[in-house]
């Protein structure tokens, strides 16, 4: 399933889901079947394989096609009938290629996948999460004409006389000069039509869309709207695209964050796309299982640490009113890593692709960047400044943030709209939680971050699943529960704090490079383990989030 709703009535789509041929050796001596979407680490013998793998399937057809890859980890290179069509870096953002003029018959699609930590890779590096190998999200084959609709971004603004909706429509064309009609409308409302002369490549058209009876989107009442755009010649529809959006406005003022005028207070979880059975290729049902647990825990938000997430997960959050902090791909990169020859291009590409494909999701209340990177240095600051500028140029409707761990040394708190800090009192150091939070707030008050909303973007402790010991030592489930109890109370009792994201929802795999600090080669700070089996802290979090949810 590409999305949780139909995106086309006219454009023909075929999801290439199922068993593909897979091999890693040039002589194909290890040829076998592999599930797509899927990652090779879930297949016996490939649990720790880091390198290049080949995936191959066939499809019947003729003419012009678009191949959409929702995620290939971490670099994919596409061949159709042996011809190289295109390539993309980064496991966490959608990309696509077009192939035109195919002869009638069966065609071979091969994807060369690499998850190596090589000299070209600036973002996928040894880290406290695992870079899997495979085609981790859906592949969609689409039949296209000479022009197709690439995206419809809807911006909603509440004015004196009510809501307005502006659509920014991007059309991709292989021809120049042809005249077509562009029609667009919000479901149930009057459509607007504009004559369009196609330009070769990408062109953008802005249309104001009538909306007489808009229902506002709020987390409590997640009213989703659909928007449809069509390219027509006469009354014949050449191509169509449907997306969803919400009438929402997010604002920041006087240290608070407002969602359609209501102050939001975050009771959230940091969630890696990682699962003990599926790696990072988490199927829809398992995504929803996670969100069922989040709701059972009286949580109301997810931080997509530390990269853009699967669109279907965002669809599920949209439908259930679960707020999302989505962030571009980066974790804990130092100045040297931020100076990598490919860092700026790979990081900016990730931001463009993230916002270009996720703009309409009303659940996303903030865009985050560069988790715990070098925001203590002038060099790092320049990159933070550039990236926030890029985000604002792509989306002026959402506040920005970044999660810092540089207490007392961060020099970038003037740049984001929301200040966010990762703190681990009682785990990495034995300061009582309330005392440390007080120190952090007092320091922020001396910086350019003063007066801005404050989110505690990470707080938590580790527990080895099932481990108990006299005296409740660190890594016991009892100690994790006790630490979280004190941490969450300290943060949630402070009305000046917008909210908290627990680190983390579920235990997640890390690379062997991190074995020393990560028993089981896992980040064990989940309140459930990698198979979503609950730890003692599950009940603690549910009790405390429940108390605060009731007060919200
Ligand atoms: C950092 C980082 C997380 C995780 C966490 C931890 O705050 O942002 O990705 O590594 O520390 O578990 O210590």
């Amino acid at each position: 399933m590409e999305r949780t709703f139909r995106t086309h009535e006219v454009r023909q789509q075929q999801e290439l889901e199922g068993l593909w041929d897979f091999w890693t050796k040039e002589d194909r001596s290890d040829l076998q079947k592999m599930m797509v979407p899927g990652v090779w680490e879930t297949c016996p013998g490939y649990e720790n394989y880091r390198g290049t793998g080949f995936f191959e399937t066939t499809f019947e057809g003729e003419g012009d096609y678009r191949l959409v890859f929702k995620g290939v980890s971490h670099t994919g290179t596409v061949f159709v009938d042996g011809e190289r069509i295109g390539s993309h870096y980064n496991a966490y953002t959608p990309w696509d290629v077009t192939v035109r003029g195919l002869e009638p018959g069966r065609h071979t699609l091969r994807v060369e996948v690499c998850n190596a930590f090589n000299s070209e890779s600036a973002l996928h590096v040894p880290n406290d999460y695992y870079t899997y190998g495979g085609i981790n999200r859906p592949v969609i084959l689409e039949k296209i004409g000479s022009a197709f609709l690439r995206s419809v971004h809807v911006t909603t603004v509440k004015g004196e006389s009510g809501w307005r909706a502006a659509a920014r429509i991007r059309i991709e064309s292989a021809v120049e000069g042809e005249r077509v009609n562009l029609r667009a409308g919000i479901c149930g409302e009057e459509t607007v039509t504009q004559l369009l002369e196609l330009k070769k490549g990408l062109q953008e058209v802005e249309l104001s869309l009538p909306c007489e009876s808009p229902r506002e989107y709020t987390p409590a009442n997640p009213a989703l709207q659909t928007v449809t755009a069509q390219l027509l010649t006469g009354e014949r529809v050449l191509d169509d695209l449907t997306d969803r959006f919400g009438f929402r406005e997010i604002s920041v003022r006087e240290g608070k964050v407002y969602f359609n005028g209501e102050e939001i207070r975050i009771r959230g979880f940091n969630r890696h796309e990682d699962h003990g059975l599926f790696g990072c290729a988490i199927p829809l049902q398992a995504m929803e299982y996670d969100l069922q647990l989040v709701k059972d825990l009286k949580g109301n938000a997810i931080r997509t640490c530390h990269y853009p997430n699967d669109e279907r997960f965002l669809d599920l959050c949209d439908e259930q009113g679960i707020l999302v902090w989505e962030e571009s791909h980066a974790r804990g990169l130092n100045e040297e890593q931020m100076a990598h020859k490919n860092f700026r291009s790979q990081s900016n590409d990730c931001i463009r692709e993230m916002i270009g494909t996720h703009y309409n999701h009303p659940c996303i209340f903030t865009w985050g960047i560069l988790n715990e990177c070098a925001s203590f240095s002038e060099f790092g600051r320049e990159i933070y400044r550039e990236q926030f500028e890029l985000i604002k140029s792509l989306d002026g409707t959402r506040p920005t943030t970044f999660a810092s761990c540089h207490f007392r040394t961060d020099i970038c708190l003037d740049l984001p709209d929301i200040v966010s800090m990762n703190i681990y009192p009682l785990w990495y150091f034995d300061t009582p939680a309330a005392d440390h939070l007080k120190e952090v707030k007092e320091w922020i008050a001396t910086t350019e971050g003063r007066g801005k909303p404050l989110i505690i973007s990470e707080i938590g402790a580790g527990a080895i699943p099932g481990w108990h010991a006299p005296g409740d030592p660190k890594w016991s489930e009892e100690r994790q529960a006790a630490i979280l109890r004190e941490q969450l109370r300290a943060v949630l009792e402070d009305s000046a704090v917008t909210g908290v994201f627990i680190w983390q929802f579920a235990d997640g795999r890390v690379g062997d490079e991190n074995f020393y600090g990560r028993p089981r080669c896992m980040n064990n700070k989940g309140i459930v383990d990698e198979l979503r089996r609950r730890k003692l802290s599950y009940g603690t979090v549910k009790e405390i989030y429940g108390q605060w949810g009731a007060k919200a």
Side-chain angles (χ1 to χ4, degrees):
M1 172 192 275
E2 181 205 0
R3 302 291 296 275
T4 63
F5 59 96
R6 278 178 67 85
T7 53
H8 302 281
E9 294 300 329
V10 172
R11 190 189 301 177
Q12 295 170 43
Q13 288 184 306
Q14 177 190 348
E15 183 168 348
L16 301 180
E17 180 176 24
L19 290 175
W20 292 32
D21 285 343
F22 171 74
W23 68 92
T24 64
K25 304 198 184 330
E26 284 298 318
D27 64 4
R28 298 197 190 197
S29 55
D30 62 339
L31 177 65
Q32 60 189 285
K33 289 298 182 185
M34 180 82 69
M35 183 56 75
V36 169
V39 292
W40 57 63
E41 288 84 358
T42 59
C43 295
Y46 295 90
E47 293 86 351
N48 303 307
Y49 177 62
R50 191 165 293 289
T52 298
F54 301 88
F55 292 79
E56 190 170 276
T57 190
T58 64
F59 63 92
E60 190 76 31
E62 69 170 301
D64 300 349
Y65 289 88
R66 178 181 181 225
L67 279 160
V68 182
F69 296 89
K70 298 292 186 176
V72 176
S73 185
H74 63 57
T75 298
T77 304
V78 182
F79 299 82
V80 172
D81 296 336
E83 183 190 348
R84 187 184 189 280
I85 304 294
S87 184
H88 178 272
Y89 171 84
N90 207 323
Y92 307 116
T93 46
W95 54 287
D96 62 283
V97 295
T98 54
V99 56
R100 294 183 179 275
L102 289 182
E103 294 299 323
R106 183 152 288 277
H107 301 278
T108 300
L109 167 61
R110 178 187 304 176
V111 184
E112 179 185 304
V113 177
C114 174
N115 76 336
F117 295 140
N118 55 40
S119 60
E120 295 307 303
S121 176
L123 304 177
H124 287 282
V125 296
N127 220 318
D128 197 24
Y129 61 94
Y130 200 84
T131 288
Y132 288 92
I135 301 178
N136 50 305
R137 297 180 187 163
V139 179
I140 320 287
L141 176 70
E142 299 184 337
K143 190 84 173 66
I144 55 173
S146 54
F148 65 90
L149 293 152
R150 177 168 281 282
S151 64
V152 183
H153 286 179
V154 180
T155 302
T156 57
V157 177
K158 192 164 191 179
E160 293 301 317
S161 55
W163 285 99
R164 295 193 319 278
R168 188 167 68 242
I169 302 168
R170 292 193 298 165
I171 303 102
E172 184 135 345
S173 174
V175 298
E176 183 82 19
E178 248 180 66
R179 290 185 161 225
V180 295
N181 280 323
L182 172 63
R183 179 186 295 164
I186 298 168
C187 179
E189 303 275 1
E190 183 193 342
T191 59
V192 295
T193 302
Q194 175 174 309
L195 182 62
L196 183 67
E197 182 170 312
L198 291 175
K199 294 186 180 66
K200 200 173 175 93
L202 196 60
Q203 70 191 103
E204 208 167 87
V205 175
E206 298 262 349
L207 291 179
S208 178
L209 299 184
C211 48
E212 294 305 316
S213 51
R215 286 179 53 220
E216 291 189 356
Y217 180 96
T218 65
N221 296 293
L224 288 165
Q225 314 277 340
T226 55
V227 59
T228 295
Q230 296 174 322
L231 288 177
L232 306 98
T233 176
E235 276 309 301
R236 186 165 73 87
V237 178
L238 302 170
D239 190 46
D240 68 336
L241 173 60
T242 292
D243 202 347
R244 284 190 322 199
F245 69 99
F247 282 97
R248 51 98 189 145
E249 213 170 47
I250 300 157
S251 55
V252 167
R253 61 178 184 275
E254 294 165 12
K256 306 280 186 192
V257 183
Y258 295 89
F259 196 111
N260 278 346
E262 285 176 39
E263 180 192 352
I264 59 174
R265 294 211 72 211
I266 302 291
R267 301 184 308 280
F269 297 90
N270 282 282
R271 175 181 176 273
H272 267 296
E273 283 186 340
D274 193 303
H275 194 288
L277 291 179
F278 310 108
C280 67
I282 302 180
L284 187 72
Q285 291 77 356
M287 291 181 200
E288 177 54 21
Y289 184 75
D290 284 357
L291 292 174
Q292 290 297 328
L293 295 187
V294 165
K295 293 191 291 185
D296 182 55
L297 287 156
K298 313 304 179 202
N300 65 356
I302 293 285
R303 176 182 175 219
T304 68
C305 58
H306 297 292
Y307 37 76
N309 270 203
D310 190 309
E311 284 176 295
R312 297 167 298 166
F313 181 75
L314 300 173
D315 287 339
L316 293 173
C317 291
D318 283 336
E319 292 172 20
Q320 300 172 88
I322 294 172
L323 292 167
V324 172
W325 158 337
E326 187 162 58
E327 69 182 26
S328 67
H329 180 198
R331 180 205 168 275
L333 302 177
N334 59 33
E335 287 185 278
E336 183 188 358
Q337 290 172 312
M338 293 176 82
H340 183 287
K341 62 186 169 88
N342 294 334
F343 174 82
R344 268 187 164 93
S345 59
Q346 290 177 350
S347 201
N348 290 344
D349 284 351
C350 182
I351 289 171
R352 287 190 195 94
E353 291 161 1
M354 172 176 74
I355 297 177
T357 53
H358 297 169
Y359 182 91
N360 285 335
H361 288 283
C363 66
I364 298 173
F365 75 95
T366 189
W367 299 114
I369 59 171
L370 301 175
N371 173 77
E372 295 195 351
C373 295
S375 55
F376 50 80
S377 77
E378 286 304 332
F379 168 75
R381 178 182 167 82
E382 181 51 20
I383 291 177
Y384 275 85
R385 189 196 58 74
E386 282 173 10
Q387 292 201 4
F388 283 129
E389 210 167 79
L390 173 60
I391 288 178
K392 289 297 187 188
S393 72
L394 298 169
D395 179 4
T397 72
R398 291 181 173 91
T400 59
T401 190
F402 77 97
S404 170
C405 64
H406 304 299
F407 172 43
R408 293 205 172 106
T409 58
D410 203 300
I411 60 170
C412 292
L413 300 191
D414 58 314
L415 297 175
D417 299 307
I418 299 169
V419 170
S420 298
M421 296 297 294
N422 296 343
I423 59 174
Y424 287 89
L426 302 174
W427 181 253
Y428 286 125
F429 48 89
D430 285 337
T431 309
D435 295 355
H436 185 61
L437 180 60
K438 183 169 178 289
E439 288 171 339
V440 168
K441 287 173 60 183
E442 284 170 353
W443 165 67
I444 291 171
T446 68
T447 73
E448 295 304 309
R450 74 176 74 84
K452 296 182 178 181
L454 169 62
I455 290 178
I456 299 303
S457 33
E458 292 181 27
I459 197 166
I464 304 297
W467 192 60
H468 313 278
D472 301 344
K474 284 185 176 176
W475 295 118
S476 67
E477 288 197 15
E478 288 78 4
R479 187 68 167 274
Q480 182 193 43
I483 290 174
L484 273 166
R485 178 178 295 280
E486 182 179 328
Q487 290 171 333
L488 293 177
R489 280 193 166 150
V491 174
L492 291 167
E493 279 169 3
D494 187 333
S495 59
V497 179
T498 293
V500 59
F501 288 94
I502 291 171
W503 186 276
Q504 65 174 327
F505 172 72
D507 292 349
R509 186 175 177 184
V510 302
D512 284 4
E513 313 81 14
N514 279 339
F515 76 94
Y516 48 88
R518 298 286 182 261
R520 309 192 300 144
C521 273
M522 301 286 286
N523 184 307
N524 295 285
K525 296 189 184 71
I527 61 166
V528 297
D529 73 7
E530 59 276 23
L531 297 177
R532 276 60 181 166
R533 293 174 298 200
R534 302 173 188 189
K535 301 179 187 175
L536 263 178
S537 55
Y538 185 100
T540 304
V541 171
K542 181 171 180 176
E543 174 202 330
I544 295 174
Y545 271 8
Q547 289 164 358
W548 287 91
K551 290 182 181 179

